[in-house]
Amino acid sequence: MKKKLAVLLAGAMVMASLVGCGGGDAAPAETSAPAEEAPAADEAPAADEAPAAEEEAPAADEAPAADGGTISVGFAQVGHESDWRAANTQNYQDAFSEANGYELSFVDADNDNAVQLEAVRNFIQQEMDYICIAPIETAGWDTVLQEAQDAGIPVLIVDRSVDADPSLYTTQLGCDMVAEGETAGNWLAEYLDGAEAKILVIEGSVGASATLGRTEGFNNIAAQHSEWEILDSQSGDFTQAGGQEVMESFIKSYSDFNVVVCQNDNEAYGAMDAMDAAGITYGVDGDVIIISFDATHDGLQYTLDGKINCNVECNPLQAEFAADVIQKLEKGEAVDAQTIVKDEAFVAPGITSQYAVTMTQEVLDGRAY
Ligand code: GZL
Ligand code: ZN
């Protein structure tokens, strides 16, 4: 009960600070991952804080945890579709550990919207202190976000974004997917230098903000190049199997393509398998340019090996941002309505670019995931 009251007050402050700077259009904070700010035990809310006045003493089993500081967090994760997702999940489990003062309830929604919505409703029932949602799709969130708000539980929208009234959730944090798509397009224009392009796109999961953003960003640049033609664009669902399946169907339908844009590394691995099977060469020494997203370790190994020409990063190590928001709310401090996680891009050896870092073994060895 103590925590709930404190959070309610903080929530009010968040709304106040948003209204103060123009009603929620606070410029998003550009930031890179904060130093590990998860609270040391002594930073968690002091157990000796006078508990808020309560109508009745909590039943024995409702007494706050012995240390008084454990913060319960429900996390409804997209699924386990990609290496990026695995790194993101591990990062949350590491950051929201018991040692850091948290009790994490984690649900892997396996890319199923109904499962994800049910997980959030269960978190509300269980009266979590906070709920984090990495939304599979942007649509369909208003009702359950209203339910969480009515229950006084702050919601953090993480990794991806939702098509919902921003006043229904406390903050959104993640990468700028449109910018990632534009980086890919700008790099391609620089690399082609006016040459023609016949482009196939293997999109991410249908309705995901990562898919919508990367597609929009890339198309913003493609629209500037009449010498480019996007032959087709299909969803590979961010998986290797999906990437292979879509690439196999593309190979059956198109014979003159010279660029394949894969909206994540796992789709790129599947596309490479399909092109290998069809005897199609790719990469810096091949006939087909591959652009990928995520810049996971294996994706950057392929980039270092010259198999992927350009790999646009989306940093999965975002849990520290979420912990930072929760710690601020615990202290009744205002939080940013949006935090954009910075990312960069990488290109194969031999390529120099104003938009990307040229891969070397040291760059690969220095990666955190
Ligand atoms: C991007 C993230 C995407 C990754 C995929 O922030 O939502 O989802 O690009 C993952 O690997 O499936
Ligand atoms: Zn052009």
Side-chain angles (χ1 to χ4, degrees), residues 161-182:
S161 52
V162 293
D163 265 349
D165 177 349
S167 69
L168 289 176
Y169 52 89
T170 301
T171 194
Q172 189 271 333
L173 61 95
C175 300
D176 181 341
M177 315 290 187
V178 175
E180 291 172 7
E182 288 178 347

Side-chain angles (χ1 to χ4, degrees), residues 33-50:
E36 177 73 25
E37 282 178 8
D42 59 354
E43 276 176 40
D48 57 4
E49 264 171 27

Side-chain angles (χ1 to χ4, degrees), residues 78 81-85 159-160 175 177 180 205 210 214 237-238 263-266 293-294 314 318:
V78 166
E81 72 287 355
S82 68
D83 298 356
W84 187 99
R85 187 65 54 197
D159 171 25
R160 298 184 180 167
C175 300
M177 315 290 187
E180 291 172 7
S205 303
R214 287 169 186 166
D237 216 9
F238 283 134
Q263 289 191 346
N264 84 333
D265 283 333
N266 294 78
F293 291 82
D294 282 355
C314 172
Q318 305 178 359

Side-chain angles (χ1 to χ4, degrees), residues 306-329:
K307 298 291 185 192
I308 291 176
N309 299 72
C310 175
N311 202 326
V312 179
E313 179 193 36
C314 172
N315 189 334
L317 307 183
Q318 305 178 359
E320 286 73 9
F321 292 103
D324 190 46
V325 165
I326 288 173
Q327 286 306 315
K328 285 192 167 80
L329 289 175

Side-chain angles (χ1 to χ4, degrees), residues 14-162:
V14 168
M15 291 312 296
S17 69
L18 283 180
V19 167
C21 56
D25 54 2
E30 271 279 339
T31 181
S32 46
E36 177 73 25
E37 282 178 8
D42 59 354
E43 276 176 40
D48 57 4
E49 264 171 27
E54 291 171 358
E55 286 82 54
E56 67 221 4
D61 63 354
E62 281 180 9
D67 60 18
T70 300
I71 300 170
S72 61
V73 177
F75 181 23
Q77 176 62 296
V78 166
H80 50 274
E81 72 287 355
S82 68
D83 298 356
W84 187 99
R85 187 65 54 197
N88 182 251
T89 290
Q90 188 59 58
N91 184 235
Y92 271 86
Q93 290 173 337
D94 293 346
F96 288 98
S97 64
E98 269 180 50
N100 285 342
Y102 296 96
E103 184 189 339
L104 179 66
S105 300
F106 175 83
V107 170
D108 168 340
D110 196 15
N111 244 8
D112 182 326
N113 294 316
V115 170
Q116 191 166 48
L117 282 170
E118 185 191 354
V120 174
R121 290 203 158 94
N122 287 338
F123 293 150
I124 296 170
Q125 284 296 321
Q126 293 152 16
E127 297 189 341
M128 291 289 163
D129 293 322
Y130 299 91
I131 294 173
C132 292
I133 304 170
I136 295 166
E137 285 191 25
T138 56
W141 288 100
D142 286 279
T143 307
V144 75
L145 290 174
Q146 186 62 63
E147 291 166 16
Q149 192 165 80
D150 294 345
I153 303 175
V155 172
L156 290 75
I157 303 295
V158 299
D159 171 25
R160 298 184 180 167
S161 52
V162 293

Side-chain angles (χ1 to χ4, degrees), residues 189 193-195 221 224-228:
D193 191 22
I221 307 305
Q224 299 165 17
H225 295 277
S226 55
E227 74 278 13
W228 296 5

